[in-house]
């Protein structure tokens, strides 16, 4: 077989990277290279996002440096025992691809991950070199997201943080027992230790404003760190997953936890499921994640009525919680606190802000709420206004049926 062309390798390594969901580029600092005679900017058009039908971000050049790997993680298509076509980029090839794609306005930045070749330190060193060349030699001002290898020397991860906008260290599976079974070369303790080092790196560069005066703090991954968990590869429940997420957010100040539904892979272990979990499960996990981060919910509240530890696939978690806690409703939108309003189904954070602002000037009626929220159908049975009360709707046994999607007849053609 002849030597593969750059295009051939790009096809292989871009396809291999599609299993990584943690490619969002939000959270970066504003930066423009016009003043440095370089190229790239996170301002203006900024880092745009486009999503493929499966929800993957495609606005970044999202590739692996190589899909060779010395590890044998059962859930990974690039594991050493996998019978997939292998390819590898050199450092200079990735740099050139990034610059060429950026100049053609195909991308707004780079998302770079890799299999483990030779050793964790060698692989991490190669990835850091890509970021260094882009930033230092080419004054690249675009977005860079590097996937960090937890087993690598902390000094290398430190160097990566100086050049990248975001680092991510994948926790992979929510339970340590699952990680030992499916990825014996990896350790949850090592992964968390690497996350702790990154957190320390961020916090150590954020001195008190009074101490540093007008001096700008040293730049270190302004987009923070993130991680990814695979959903449905093992027997972990949604509650297990959210328990791990809660500990990661509180313990390591992660900016995001991404949930990636397991995709069946060829020649996979018999321990893995043959079909992928419902995509709705991934969606419900993101909704539960947002309830914890922005709506003041505790993890145990979300699952208090779910004995099996699984989220309801038919209803969003906040609506499901409200149906189980009807004694807390209706909420009077003219007198309720912000915390109480955030728990009303159909009220988002922006809706609540607009309600709080509007009620300073008038007593809100139902038609006011209709103009603020996206859908009155979701919230009207849970609120009270000067001209509306849900009466006995909250006592109805069949209230849940109003919100559950109606079954549809499958079509043959």
């Amino acid at each position: 077989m002849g030597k593969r062309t750059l295009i051939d390798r790009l096809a292989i390594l871009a396809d291999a990277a599609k299993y990584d969901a943690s490619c969002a580029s939000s959270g970066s600092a504003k930066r423009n290279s016009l003043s440095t005679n370089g190229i790239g900017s996170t301002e203006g058009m900024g880092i745009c996002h486009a999503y493929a039908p499966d929800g993957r971000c495609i606005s970044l050049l999202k590739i692996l440096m190589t899909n060779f790997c010395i590890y044998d993680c059962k859930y990974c298509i690039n594991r050493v025992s996998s019978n997939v076509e292998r390819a590898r980029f050199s450092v200079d090839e990735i740099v050139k691809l990034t610059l060429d794609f950026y100049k053609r306005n195909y991308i707004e930045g780079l998302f770079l991950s890799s299999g483990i070749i030779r050793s964790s330190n060698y692989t991490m060193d190669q990835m850091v070199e890509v970021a260094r060349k882009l930033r230092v030699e080419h004054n690249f001002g675009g977005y860079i997201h590097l996937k960090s290898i937890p087993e690598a020397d902390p000094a290398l991860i430190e160097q990566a943080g100086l050049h990248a906008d975001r680092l991510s260290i994948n926790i992979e599976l929510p339970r340590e027992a699952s990680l030992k079974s499916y990825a014996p070369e990896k350790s949850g303790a090592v992964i968390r230790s690497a996350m702790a080092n990154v957190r320390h790196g961020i916090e150590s560069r954020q001195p008190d404003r009074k101490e540093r005066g007008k001096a700008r703090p040293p730049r270190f991954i302004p987009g923070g760190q993130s991680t990814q968990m695979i959903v449905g590869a093992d027997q972990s429940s949604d509650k297990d997953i959210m328990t791990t997420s809660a500990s990661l957010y509180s313990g390591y100040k992660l900016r995001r936890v991404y949930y990636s539904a397991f995709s069946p892979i060829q020649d996979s272990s018999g321990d893995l499921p043959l079909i992928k979990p419902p995509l709705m499960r991934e969606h419900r996990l993101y909704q539960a994640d947002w309830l914890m981060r922005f709506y003041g919910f505790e993890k145990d509240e979300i699952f208090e009525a779910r004995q099996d530890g699984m989220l309801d696939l038919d209803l969003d978690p906040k609506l499901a919680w409200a149906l189980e806690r009807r004694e807390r409703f209706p909420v009077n939108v003219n007198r309720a606190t912000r915390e109480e309003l955030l728990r009303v189904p159909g009220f988002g954070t922006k809706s609540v802000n607009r309600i709080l602002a509007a009620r300073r000037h008038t007593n809100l009626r139902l038609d006011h709420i209709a103009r603020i929220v996206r859908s009155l159908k979701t919230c009207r049975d849970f609120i009270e206004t000067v001209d509306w009360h849900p009466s006995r709707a909250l006592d109805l046994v069949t209230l849940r049926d109003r919100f559950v999607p109606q079954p549809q007849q499958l079509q043959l053609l």
Side-chain angles (χ1 to χ4, degrees), residues 179-195:
L179 198 61
K180 286 182 178 178
S181 174
Y182 289 83
E185 293 95 347
K186 295 187 176 181
S187 161
V190 172
I191 293 171
R192 290 173 185 269
S193 175
M195 289 179 174

Side-chain angles (χ1 to χ4, degrees), residues 342-361:
L342 283 172
R343 293 187 173 238
V344 175
F347 282 10
T349 53
K350 290 183 179 179
S351 301
V352 169
N353 290 339
R354 294 178 65 186
I355 288 172
L356 293 173
R359 75 183 192 186
R360 296 175 188 163
H361 307 287

